[in-house]
Amino acid sequence: MSSTSQKHKEFVAEPMGEKAVSALAGIGEVLGKRLEEKGFDKAYVVLGQFLVLKKDEELFRDWLKDTCGANVKQQGDCYGCLREWCDSFL
């Protein structure tokens, strides 16, 4: 697995609070807007979907691809970010 980005490190370092969906690793401005348009405007809303999918990597990656068109790297970055956040805070 590749090293984590600065964005990932900053996200997993503290409680999620009201962070925008674009604060998630792997989710930039374009994907963030696509997610917002589908009602996923905050990082915690995406976390809710992650938990509904029981933290299953394949299901979450497929959901992210289908919902906002995330590529394989973006899917992996977002999954890893949420998984690590959950390991620290849940």
Side-chain angles (χ1 to χ4, degrees):
M1 184 161 179
S2 62
S3 63
T4 57
S5 66
Q6 186 64 34
K7 190 174 183 181
H8 174 109
K9 291 173 187 170
E10 289 172 2
F11 189 87
V12 301
E14 61 188 12
M16 195 173 303
E18 294 288 324
K19 289 182 181 179
V21 68
S22 58
L24 288 162
I27 306 298
E29 187 177 331
V30 173
L31 295 184
K33 285 196 183 311
R34 290 179 190 163
L35 285 164
E36 288 172 14
E37 289 168 2
K38 300 211 172 160
F40 298 90
D41 58 332
K42 300 286 185 183
Y44 68 78
V45 182
V46 177
L47 171 66
Q49 184 64 30
F50 178 76
L51 296 174
V52 165
L53 297 172
K54 299 183 178 182
K55 303 186 214 175
D56 181 277
E57 182 171 5
E58 184 178 351
L59 290 175
F60 183 75
R61 282 175 171 264
D62 286 346
W63 173 83
L64 206 53
K65 178 183 169 192
D66 294 343
T67 304
C68 67
N71 67 32
V72 172
K73 181 182 185 322
Q74 293 162 331
Q75 295 164 23
D77 289 350
C78 189
Y79 171 81
C81 181
L82 287 172
R83 188 194 65 231
E84 186 174 332
W85 187 91
C86 286
D87 290 346
S88 296
F89 293 99
L90 292 182

